[in-house]
Amino acid sequence: MTADVRPGPARTRRDRAIRVGGVVCALVAAGVVVQADLGAASGWLVADVAGGAVACGALWLSRRWPATMALVAVALAVPAASASVAAGIATLMTALYRRSAVAIGVGAAWVAATLARFWLRPPGLAPYPVWALVAVLFGVALTGWGMLARARRQLVLSLAERVRRAEEEQRRRVEQARHAERLAIARDMHDVLAHRLSLLALHAGALEFNARADPEEVVEAAAVVRSSAHQALQELRQVISVLREAPVLAELDLHALVEEVRRAGMEVEMHDGGVRLPGLPGLTARAAYRIVQEGLTNARKHAPGRPVTVRLDGGPERGLAIEVRNPVVRAPRGEGAGLAGMRERAELAGGRVEQAGIEEGEFRLAVWLPWPV
């Protein structure tokens, strides 16, 4: 059983218009009944005037207290026919804003009050059983309409909440992927920097403990120290702050990677354009390797059994262009963690993802990375 909905006071123009419209309809109906009483000199005139006025007032408050005001209007509708429209509208409001048990109870009360009024004040034109059937059908229609509208509104709100949670979860996953990629790149750089600094310390120590070496040996050792220090400073600019175990540049072999996925059953066409990753700057080489690796993983996930094309092209100062293409079998839903990680890796390497989407029936990943001299 669903819980109540607490609408509170009307705040928007639409809410106010509905509220005023309902009260106006109830007042018009009450006025018609009172006018008929005056024309027929009915003894029910006082009950109709007082009951209609109070029922319209209860209807004005029914948005805040639907069930309570509906029962007040329903009770007044027994002696006062002028309160019947207000009671019907209040019954509908209860079905819109209260749980099913309460709505059915108020609807049953409205039907009972209407039957009692028809018994006390027969409307004529048809026998009582006909009017009783009309009252039951109308009460069922009012209550059912309100409950159906309430269920539909709750379904829409539930779907909207699910969408919001899904988007929040996607954002969280993307942030986690970015954080993990930053961590990976920083650890890559740490290993390189640690290697440079260890060489620097080794040669500096050799100079310290071999002060009487030949001048040529001293000059050679100093040149090595200078070169290692320069390279260490270059790498230091790219260190983030954390550690990771990463492959050295000699292990970044794209052809070995492609052969590995081919052995796994993928059909891969490789065009390296003469590019060799060990000849690139360390950060660019590692970023290129990981991007191609992730591109092949995405292709295997979203286009299993379909051919994949990998292209590399570029040179010093022009930069390195990477492209991975594969036919679309299952279009990816939004940007997953893999693409988010590639964007982060490319940006941290000074490059960019130029395209990651469907183009002419193929998924195309295009990345540019810097290739400084």
Side-chain angles (χ1 to χ4, degrees):
M1 184 179 295
T2 56
D4 292 343
V5 177
R6 301 291 179 181
R11 289 185 173 87
T12 65
R13 290 183 178 180
R14 179 176 176 273
D15 290 341
R16 295 189 185 98
I18 293 174
R19 188 180 188 184
V20 171
V23 174
V24 168
C25 289
L27 285 172
V28 170
V32 170
V33 173
V34 171
Q35 185 67 28
D37 288 346
L38 289 174
S42 172
W44 295 98
L45 177 61
V46 175
D48 280 332
V49 172
V54 175
C56 288
L59 179 60
W60 182 260
L61 300 173
S62 64
R63 182 178 173 86
R64 184 181 291 271
W65 302 289
T68 303
M69 294 299 104
L71 291 176
V72 170
V74 165
L76 292 171
V78 175
S82 60
S84 59
V85 173
I89 297 175
T91 300
L92 177 62
M93 295 286 287
T94 302
L96 285 172
Y97 295 119
R98 290 297 177 262
R99 61 185 182 273
S100 300
V102 176
I104 292 173
V106 172
W110 183 90
V111 171
T114 304
L115 293 176
R117 186 177 71 254
F118 286 168
W119 181 262
L120 292 173
R121 303 174 63 178
L125 301 178
Y128 178 79
V130 174
W131 286 111
L133 179 61
V134 170
V136 172
L137 293 178
F138 200 76
V140 170
L142 274 178
T143 306
W145 182 21
M147 291 172 62
L148 181 62
R150 179 174 181 274
R152 180 180 178 277
R153 183 173 63 245
Q154 288 187 328
L155 176 61
V156 171
L157 293 175
S158 174
L159 292 176
E161 178 64 16
R162 289 183 183 181
V163 170
R164 187 193 66 79
R165 290 181 180 178
E167 291 176 349
E168 185 65 27
E169 177 66 16
Q170 178 68 8
R171 283 195 294 269
R172 186 184 64 81
R173 291 178 59 191
V174 168
E175 287 301 322
Q176 287 180 344
R178 288 178 175 174
H179 176 74
E181 203 62 32
R182 290 193 183 104
L183 190 65
I185 295 170
R187 287 172 173 172
D188 277 351
M189 300 314 305
H190 168 268
D191 283 352
V192 176
L193 184 60
H195 176 69
R196 305 290 186 198
L197 292 179
S198 64
L199 288 178
L200 181 61
L202 178 64
H203 289 288
L207 282 176
E208 179 182 0
F209 291 104
N210 194 15
R212 298 180 180 180
D214 294 336
E216 292 182 359
E217 295 179 352
V218 173
V219 170
E220 182 179 354
V224 172
V225 170
R226 177 182 176 279
S227 176
S228 297
H230 177 73
Q231 292 175 350
L233 287 174
Q234 293 285 48
E235 299 291 349
L236 183 59
R237 295 172 184 170
Q238 300 166 341
V239 172
I240 299 179
S241 64
V242 285
L243 307 177
R244 175 192 177 197
E245 294 180 0
V248 295
L249 291 181
E251 299 173 355
L252 302 180
D253 189 347
L254 285 180
H255 289 276
L257 174 64
V258 170
E259 286 301 322
E260 181 182 358
V261 297
R262 282 174 177 166
R263 287 194 298 270
M266 287 186 67
E267 182 181 345
V268 183
E269 183 179 351
M270 179 74 177
H271 303 278
D272 60 14
V275 175
R276 296 294 181 268
L277 295 190
L280 273 66
L283 186 58
T284 300
R286 275 180 286 273
Y289 184 87
R290 297 303 186 194
I291 287 169
V292 173
Q293 187 180 50
E294 186 63 32
L296 292 173
T297 300
N298 286 343
R300 184 168 61 250
K301 182 188 303 182
H302 298 293
R306 297 300 180 91
V308 184
T309 302
V310 179
R311 294 183 183 275
L312 280 78
D313 187 28
E317 297 184 350
R318 289 193 298 123
L320 174 64
I322 303 172
E323 183 184 66
V324 181
R325 282 179 175 269
N326 60 270
V328 175
V329 176
R330 293 192 298 265
R333 297 182 178 179
E335 183 174 292
L339 283 177
M342 279 192 280
R343 289 187 185 277
E344 192 69 18
R345 180 174 285 275
E347 290 173 2
L348 289 175
R352 60 185 177 273
V353 175
E354 296 182 335
Q355 183 178 351
I358 299 174
E359 179 183 277
E360 298 179 355
E362 291 185 321
F363 186 86
R364 178 174 181 263
L365 171 66
V367 181
W368 179 88
L369 297 174
W371 189 337
V373 179

